[in-house]
Amino acid sequence: MFKKGSKLYAIRKSKCPKCHQGNLFKSSLLSGNGIYNMYIKCKECDQDFEMEPGFYWGAMYIGYALFSFYMLGTIALIFFFTDLSLNQSFGITLMGGLLMIPYVARKSRVLWIHIAIRYNKKIADKVAERKAVKINHK
Ligand SMILES: [Zn+2]
């Protein structure tokens, strides 16, 4: 399911939606260089990552859905499977949630661009071929 070349792999690894090979972000989340430190275009296939101003506003809805799902699910799990009260369950879940905000914000952008742009096998094959040629010439 998370095999290289699959959509889920590209989402998990934050890869370009069109070729599944170029990175969307310049650095990892833990590097401290900002949550939204994205490339303007794909380094491999030249796909534009910000097609129009405000493109990523839509990612807010994805982030809202992901965060709500996490909060409700985790509160229910803690409340029903431990002896903690509802308020304690909420507090623990919220603390975890606050730590997850940068990750959720990034992943919602990744999901949003993967909804907007389709995978293109022809372009992906061209990129893979070009990469193979580069490696052979080293
Ligand atoms: Zn690409």
Side-chain angles (χ1 to χ4, degrees):
M1 196 160 90
F2 290 102
K3 264 190 339 197
K4 194 170 183 175
S6 72
K7 190 125 187 133
L8 286 175
Y9 172 86
I11 290 170
R12 191 171 64 91
K13 292 281 191 178
S14 300
K15 296 289 184 187
C16 165
K18 197 172 208 173
C19 69
H20 289 184
Q21 291 169 65
N23 291 322
L24 283 169
F25 297 99
K26 289 177 185 170
S27 56
S28 83
L29 198 53
L30 299 174
S31 70
N33 289 331
I35 300 171
Y36 301 128
N37 195 13
M38 293 182 81
Y39 287 109
I40 295 166
K41 284 181 173 214
C42 178
K43 292 272 182 206
E44 304 295 341
C45 70
D46 245 18
Q47 169 63 46
D48 201 352
F49 287 156
E50 188 156 348
M51 281 73 73
E52 58 193 43
F55 172 72
Y56 289 105
W57 277 96
M60 268 190 338
Y61 298 104
I62 308 262
Y64 180 73
L66 287 175
F67 200 74
S68 303
F69 185 75
Y70 158 77
M71 286 296 288
L72 293 175
T74 310
I75 288 170
L77 279 177
I78 293 173
F79 182 69
F80 290 118
F81 293 104
T82 65
D83 292 333
L84 297 174
S85 71
L86 190 59
N87 282 343
Q88 289 169 324
S89 306
F90 180 79
I92 291 169
T93 306
L94 191 62
M95 280 192 282
L98 291 175
L99 293 173
M100 281 178 40
I101 285 175
Y103 179 78
V104 169
R106 238 186 205 208
K107 279 303 164 198
S108 46
R109 276 192 172 209
V110 173
L111 285 168
W112 185 246
I113 199 167
H114 273 267
I115 290 169
I117 299 169
R118 297 232 162 253
Y119 175 66
N120 187 323
K121 185 152 176 41
K122 273 186 189 169
I123 287 174
D125 288 345
K126 264 187 202 167
V127 168
E129 205 172 278
R130 203 172 55 219
K131 272 185 164 176
V133 169
K134 267 187 201 167
I135 289 167
N136 288 338
H137 283 283
K138 274 186 183 170

